[in-house]
Amino acid sequence: MFTFEIDEEITLKLLNESDAEEMFQLIDNCREYLREWLGWIDGTKNVYDSKQFIKGCIRLYEERQGLTLGIFFHGKLAGVIGFNSFDWTNRIGVIGYWLGNQFQGEGIMTRAVIAVIDYGFQQLGLNRIEIRAAYENYKSRAIPERLGFMQEGQIRQGEWLYDHFVDLIQYGLLASEWDSERGF
């Protein structure tokens, strides 16, 4: 199974069914916070739903269509990051992420995104990495902006969140623009 130790605090690992209980508890404890920007929260009602999500992630990993990793901070599941999809013909990966609110402000997500970018460019041979975030989700948008992604446009009403559409900001980064040695 895929496991990557970023530093003494953070480990990324491929989720497995034994993580379903901890994942569900994290989502359930942060439900209101996460619901603001994640449209799938209401569909996660119990541990079984988390287990089904993890099974789907494993299948996508085995088929080389995605790579979903748990973010473990001091051994506790803090959130999820990964490539939601790959376009192997054009060597593009699309990163998505979320973090429980009790883990905010520790630099966890920035370090995790850096590690995933490095992996995508160096190990997977991607040429381009994309991130999309809701226009008003400033915390999520701050990460690609901090890491040198180019804001490439706004996708009007690009995502449905429960009872309304939100605009998405599209960010892109090319392998030739990434310097993994800059250290954040």
Side-chain angles (χ1 to χ4, degrees), residues 6-169:
I6 295 176
D7 55 34
E8 65 282 346
E9 294 184 310
I10 303 169
T11 301
L12 304 180
K13 78 175 190 84
L14 194 63
L15 294 164
N16 60 58
E17 289 184 52
S18 66
D19 297 312
E21 175 72 38
E22 188 174 10
M23 174 179 262
F24 175 72
Q25 289 305 317
L26 177 62
I27 292 167
D28 204 40
N29 292 337
C30 303
R31 189 169 294 278
E32 205 155 310
Y33 173 78
L34 295 173
R35 191 176 190 277
E36 183 176 6
W37 301 116
L38 300 173
W40 49 264
I41 297 297
D42 287 359
T44 305
K45 298 179 171 104
N46 52 47
V47 175
Y48 176 79
D49 294 331
S50 292
K51 192 175 282 194
Q52 292 304 110
F53 169 77
I54 291 169
K55 282 182 178 180
C57 292
I58 292 168
R59 187 176 58 256
L60 289 175
Y61 174 70
E62 290 169 348
E63 296 170 357
R64 292 187 40 122
Q65 293 179 14
L67 174 63
T68 303
L69 306 167
I71 303 169
F72 291 84
F73 184 67
H74 294 292
K76 293 185 156 210
L77 183 63
V80 171
I81 188 169
F83 289 102
N84 293 338
S85 64
F86 292 113
D87 172 348
W88 291 112
T89 301
N90 297 301
R91 296 185 359 211
I92 299 170
V94 180
I95 293 178
Y97 46 80
W98 62 267
L99 195 64
N101 58 324
Q102 67 269 41
F103 297 100
Q104 300 284 324
E106 301 284 339
I108 297 168
M109 191 55 76
T110 299
R111 288 182 276 170
V113 172
I114 289 169
V116 169
I117 292 169
D118 281 342
Y119 184 77
F121 287 144
Q122 296 172 7
Q123 303 299 314
L124 298 178
L126 298 176
N127 180 59
R128 175 181 169 81
I129 293 177
E130 299 175 355
I131 294 176
R132 291 181 179 178
Y135 176 80
E136 293 180 344
N137 188 346
Y138 302 112
K139 286 182 182 180
S140 193
R141 289 181 53 197
I143 293 170
E145 291 172 5
R146 187 178 314 120
L147 298 179
F149 280 71
M150 180 179 288
Q151 183 176 323
E152 297 176 329
Q154 185 167 334
I155 303 164
R156 298 176 305 135
Q157 297 186 5
E159 186 174 12
W160 176 256
L161 286 179
Y162 304 103
D163 61 356
H164 67 286
F165 285 101
V166 295
D167 290 0
L168 299 174
I169 301 299

